Amino acid sequence: MTKVLVIAEHDGAALNPSTAKCVSCAKQLEGAEIDIAVFAASAAAVAAEAAQISGVGRVLTIEREENDPAVAAILAPQIAALASAYSHVFGPSTAFGKDVMPRVAALLDVNQISDIMSVEGPHVFKRPIYAGNAIVTVEAPAESPLVATVRTASYQAAEGGNSATIESTNIDAEIPTHTRFVEVQTGQSDRPDLQSAAKVVSGGRALGSEENFELIYKLADKLGAAIGSSRAAVDAGYVPPETQVGQTGQIIAPDLYIAIGISGAIQHITGIKDAGTIVAINKDEEAPIFEVSDIGLVGDLFSIVPELTNALD
Amino acid sequence: MEKILVGLKRVVDYNVRVQVKSDGSGVETDGVKMSINPFDEIALEEALRIKERGEASEVIVLSIGTAESQQQLRTGLAMGADRAILVETDASTDPLTAARIFQAIIERENVDLVILGKQAIDDDNSQTGQMLAAVWGRPQATFASAVSIDGNTARVTREVDIGLETIEIDLPAVITVDLRLNEPRYVKLPDIMKAKKKPLDQIPFADLGVETAPQIKTMKFEPPEGRQRGIMVEDVAGLVTALKDKGLV
């Protein structure tokens, strides 16, 4: 019997699209019964959203004050306790899922399968290693609980239209006090979220300064796009770290990705190879980004980008 | 605090473009340059800075693997670690077993803080630190971009998808580090000479009494599906036309 528990990612008010992508992955398991667990102080709004995801049987709400905001050391023992009724426990391979899921796996005495790209059987999956330079097919032991993170860029969000049962559950698990949330600082941006945006405009080191990134922002705003960047641009201090795309940043799959002044190191490419259309603008015609771009334009970004922004009126 | 333990994993160098073997049995590692996992270098740099501020008295580096990992441990000693431990095994070690090995060393050494890379750039698992924290029953602060120690607690800023999150953790604890935490120091020649005299203990895996975790088997390696090289356009007008043709603007 394949029973999958998907751990909801949310901010206390709204469900993150990564959750519906995990459900899409779970649906690839033949005959799977899928439940979503919402850990929160007050779960009603998030649970109502989760219940709409097609393919979901039940939404379990686990409400306690300590669950807001989410802290891995506090959630993990609760998830592990809930996991005993399931064959599979899935979370997204976002910062949230990468933090909490391995802690759950260790509490269940199993290794985790990180970054599922495709389901090949009830315990067989494909995943990337070496920054996506190799894809491995892995098999987890059938007799143990299977804990995994789902590579969200490999899946579309499952559709809505469902009305799954919402059940409140109590979990008997010891909650540690050794870890305390202090604060979170966000970019305070009105632009779309990088993970879920349909369009992303991304800038690299060639921008040369924080001020010059204004060119990227203007084009992004014209397109209604999210902002991305290369590691080099972040390391140089031009843009905040949460914009970084690649092996050690965010892995994304927008419909349109425009790479501006980004040479295209393999570590960056691995973050965008599931994008629908990749546009590259670079002054170096030998830049590796042109090997993976669908539309390439060689030239000076400082004249091309303003011209492009104007041309989109 | 007394002791900080840092993990150093021997991996294929960051600059090598890894190739899958034609028979799908693995990736080509013969004659390939090997280095310390770059995140682990950042972890060690942070431990050394904590010690240099007088907030810790000893930094120990630990590697798990064959005798060849001594190279990476010697580099760690040259960077400034006080001593090294190699847990020797020929098998490649999964994250949960690695966490259990760290736990065994923590118990022997009475460690106050463990600093690890947030992921190894070979298997890209990003599991060991979180698993160690679970096995040890202690706090975890993953993806750290700033660390400050205040007596028996640490304040850690973490890189998360929406920005920067700060948490406070009681020590002992596990911290895993992100790219922006610091810039590791370069090793100088005299330090390499001095490092040769620093202690490096080798412990056979079998002597630790650690149980190997259930294994996830790798059945096959294959190269990724490549993207096709697309068209080149001459100017902005050509780009706009191409985007319009695809219905993207």
Side-chain angles (χ1 to χ4, degrees):
Chain A
M1 187 76 192
T2 302
K3 291 187 71 177
V4 188
L5 182 66
V6 172
I7 310 305
E9 176 173 8
H10 63 87
D11 62 4
L15 192 65
N16 189 295
S18 65
T19 307
K21 292 177 181 177
C22 290
V23 171
S24 291
C25 177
K27 284 163 91 168
Q28 289 187 334
L29 291 159
E30 212 176 298
E33 283 181 20
I34 304 167
D35 291 349
I36 292 180
V38 179
F39 294 85
S42 149
V46 174
E49 261 191 274
Q52 293 173 20
I53 300 172
S54 78
V56 174
R58 294 184 306 165
V59 176
L60 307 176
T61 59
I62 304 90
E63 294 181 311
R64 50 194 299 171
E65 285 303 320
E66 298 93 324
N67 288 343
D68 180 39
V71 171
I74 291 170
L75 295 190
Q78 301 177 68
I79 297 170
L82 199 57
S84 60
Y86 294 86
S87 58
H88 296 64
V89 186
F90 284 1
S93 65
T94 55
F96 163 76
K98 286 191 218 174
D99 188 31
V100 70
M101 298 306 287
R103 191 164 180 126
V104 173
L107 292 175
L108 297 172
D109 282 329
V110 293
N111 277 294
Q112 170 184 283
I113 295 181
S114 298
D115 306 318
I116 293 176
M117 299 171 69
S118 72
V119 175
E120 307 291 317
H123 299 91
V124 184
F125 304 88
K126 286 192 179 184
R127 63 172 299 261
I129 59 172
Y130 287 102
N133 275 318
I135 307 299
V136 285
T137 305
V138 293
E139 180 172 25
E143 62 278 10
S144 317
L146 191 148
V147 178
T149 58
V150 174
R151 184 176 180 276
T152 48
S154 297
Y155 290 92
Q156 300 282 333
E159 286 172 19
N162 190 13
S163 51
T165 319
I166 299 174
E167 294 174 22
S168 169
T169 305
N170 286 311
I171 292 176
D172 188 22
E174 204 176 321
I175 303 295
T177 56
H178 54 48
T179 307
R180 296 167 293 275
F181 173 85
V182 177
E183 60 174 357
V184 64
Q185 290 176 291
T186 62
Q188 299 288 329
S189 166
D190 294 333
R191 297 191 179 89
D193 172 55
L194 178 59
Q195 264 297 326
S196 50
K199 296 174 186 174
V200 174
V201 178
S202 200
R205 179 163 37 197
L207 266 299
S209 72
E210 188 179 350
E211 294 71 36
N212 289 343
F213 247 82
E214 200 55 39
L215 294 174
I216 302 292
Y217 299 141
K218 280 183 182 151
L219 176 57
D221 290 346
K222 191 62 89 54
L223 288 165
I227 301 296
S229 67
S230 68
R231 178 185 169 188
V234 176
D235 285 353
Y238 304 161
V239 269
E242 64 267 22
T243 60
Q244 187 189 321
V245 172
Q247 179 189 20
T248 57
Q250 302 208 43
I251 312 280
I252 55 173
D255 299 333
L256 173 63
Y257 184 80
I258 304 183
I260 298 169
I262 292 176
S263 63
I266 181 73
Q267 289 83 3
H268 186 78
I269 303 295
T270 197
I272 57 170
K273 63 198 191 73
D274 294 294
T277 297
I278 297 176
V279 173
I281 298 168
N282 202 293
K283 71 173 193 297
D284 175 12
E285 59 183 306
E286 302 291 325
I289 190 79
F290 290 122
E291 287 166 31
V292 298
S293 63
D294 300 280
I295 308 170
L297 175 53
V298 177
D300 176 17
L301 73 90
F302 292 104
S303 61
I304 290 173
V305 176
E307 196 185 336
L308 177 60
T309 307
N310 286 331
L312 293 172
D313 273 326
Chain B
M1 80 182 105
E2 280 289 308
K3 294 180 187 175
I4 305 178
L5 180 64
V6 175
L8 295 185
K9 186 177 185 184
R10 175 185 169 89
V11 298
V12 173
D13 186 80
Y14 182 79
N15 291 305
V16 174
R17 191 157 187 167
V18 170
Q19 303 282 344
V20 175
K21 287 181 186 169
S22 53
D23 63 359
S25 65
V27 299
E28 203 55 71
T29 52
D30 286 350
V32 166
K33 186 185 177 197
M34 304 296 285
S35 298
I36 297 176
N37 178 43
F39 290 100
D40 300 351
E41 271 189 305
I42 297 169
L44 176 54
E45 176 64 36
E46 196 63 20
L48 295 173
R49 290 183 188 189
I50 292 169
K51 184 189 162 191
E52 285 159 3
R53 289 199 300 264
E55 293 163 353
S57 42
E58 188 176 35
V59 175
I60 306 167
V61 284
L62 169 64
S63 194
I64 303 167
T66 63
E68 289 182 304
S69 294
Q70 288 182 47
Q71 289 170 17
Q72 282 64 42
L73 289 172
R74 288 288 171 203
T75 304
L77 292 170
M79 278 178 72
D82 297 290
R83 58 193 174 93
I85 300 170
L86 173 61
V87 173
E88 277 197 288
T89 168
D90 288 333
S92 81
T93 304
D94 60 275
L96 182 53
T97 304
R100 291 173 178 173
I101 290 170
F102 270 89
Q103 167 69 4
I105 299 297
I106 287 166
E107 281 171 10
R108 286 186 175 205
E109 296 282 350
N110 226 346
V111 169
D112 303 290
L113 178 62
V114 179
I115 311 183
L116 303 176
K118 76 162 178 174
Q119 74 194 72
I121 60 163
D122 51 4
D123 58 26
D124 282 334
N125 267 321
S126 192
Q127 298 180 19
T128 303
Q130 298 88 314
M131 288 182 159
L132 171 59
V135 169
W136 196 10
R138 296 304 308 167
Q140 68 188 49
T142 53
F143 326 139
S145 66
V147 174
S148 63
I149 308 290
D150 182 14
N152 290 322
T153 64
R155 193 171 264 244
V156 180
T157 302
R158 309 175 51 235
E159 291 196 9
V160 296
D161 295 338
I162 55 164
L164 296 173
E165 181 193 87
T166 302
I167 58 174
E168 189 181 75
I169 53 176
D170 294 336
L171 301 179
V174 179
I175 294 173
T176 79
V177 305
D178 218 314
L179 288 170
R180 251 74 58 177
L181 180 58
N182 60 49
E183 202 162 314
R185 65 197 64 189
Y186 286 103
V187 173
K188 299 185 205 83
L189 192 60
D191 298 327
I192 296 172
M193 304 309 289
K194 262 190 272 175
K196 288 183 178 159
K197 298 198 184 90
K198 289 183 178 175
L200 193 162
D201 291 338
Q202 287 164 263
I203 306 173
F205 170 69
D207 289 4
L208 280 180
V210 166
E211 193 189 344
T212 302
Q215 297 294 297
I216 291 172
K217 275 187 295 192
T218 302
M219 325 285 286
K220 189 172 72 171
F221 291 73
E222 55 194 318
E225 277 176 41
R227 287 184 76 98
Q228 299 295 320
R229 193 187 176 99
I231 58 162
M232 299 300 287
V233 294
E234 288 301 312
D235 49 24
V236 168
L239 174 55
V240 172
T241 305
L243 287 171
K244 281 186 175 153
D245 286 349
K246 287 175 174 277
L248 289 166
V249 294

